[in-house]
């Protein structure tokens, strides 16, 4: 569980424009004097609590993207395993034929 970021939500404040983060001890923005809020780390939307780092929408997007990336990695792993299997079969066939050739030469 990650903790939310505390920041100014006044859209005209330099603190908001530059996405500055503040410690929990700060209550008011040092630039504009507005009250600081816990905000989503992605969209900077004010949060009701300080226990989560992302709003529900951004958390869902992150979860979906993570699942999508995991699926892509699985697909790549399957392709790689198939390629290795094919190469192993070809090499196995060559080695078998190579051994037969050595037997013929020895005779």
């Amino acid at each position: 569980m990650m903790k939310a970021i505390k920041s100014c939500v006044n859209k005209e404040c330099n603190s908001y424009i530059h996405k500055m983060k503040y410690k929990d001890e700060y209550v008011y923005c040092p630039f504009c004097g507005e009250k600081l809020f816990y905000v989503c780390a992605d969209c900077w939307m004010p949060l009701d609590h300080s226990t989560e780092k992302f709003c529900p929408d951004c958390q869902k997007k992150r979860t979906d993207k993570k699942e999508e990336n995991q699926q892509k990695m699985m697909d790549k792993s399957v392709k790689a395993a198939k390629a290795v299997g094919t190469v192993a079969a070809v090499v196995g066939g060559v080695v078998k034929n190579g051994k037969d050739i050595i037997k013929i030469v020895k005779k």
Side-chain angles (χ1 to χ4, degrees):
M1 179 167 60
M2 298 180 161
K3 191 172 178 188
I5 296 169
K6 198 169 192 180
S7 185
C8 183
V9 293
N10 177 3
K11 294 184 180 183
E12 295 179 11
C13 178
N14 278 339
S15 177
Y16 178 85
I17 293 168
H18 297 290
K19 305 293 186 202
M20 298 175 107
K21 303 169 189 170
Y22 296 99
K23 295 180 180 179
D24 287 336
E25 299 89 50
Y26 286 87
V27 177
Y28 297 99
C29 176
F31 290 95
C32 69
E34 293 284 327
K35 187 171 180 173
L36 297 175
F37 291 93
Y38 289 103
V39 295
C40 173
D42 281 347
C43 68
W44 229 251
M45 181 181 85
L47 300 173
D48 297 332
H49 49 76
S50 65
T51 57
E52 296 294 326
K53 191 171 183 173
F54 304 103
C55 68
D57 291 337
C58 291
Q59 184 63 46
K60 182 171 177 7
K61 287 178 191 174
R62 287 177 159 269
T63 304
D64 292 347
K65 187 173 182 178
K66 185 177 180 180
E67 289 172 0
E68 181 180 312
N69 287 340
Q70 286 175 342
Q71 186 61 43
K72 284 181 183 177
M73 291 301 291
M74 287 295 291
D75 292 345
K76 285 181 182 179
S77 298
V78 168
K79 283 182 182 178
K82 286 180 180 178
V84 168
T86 302
V87 169
V90 169
V91 170
V94 169
V95 170
K96 183 179 178 186
N97 291 335
K99 288 180 183 178
D100 292 342
I101 293 171
I102 292 172
K103 287 179 186 177
I104 293 171
V105 170
K106 285 185 178 180
K107 288 183 182 179

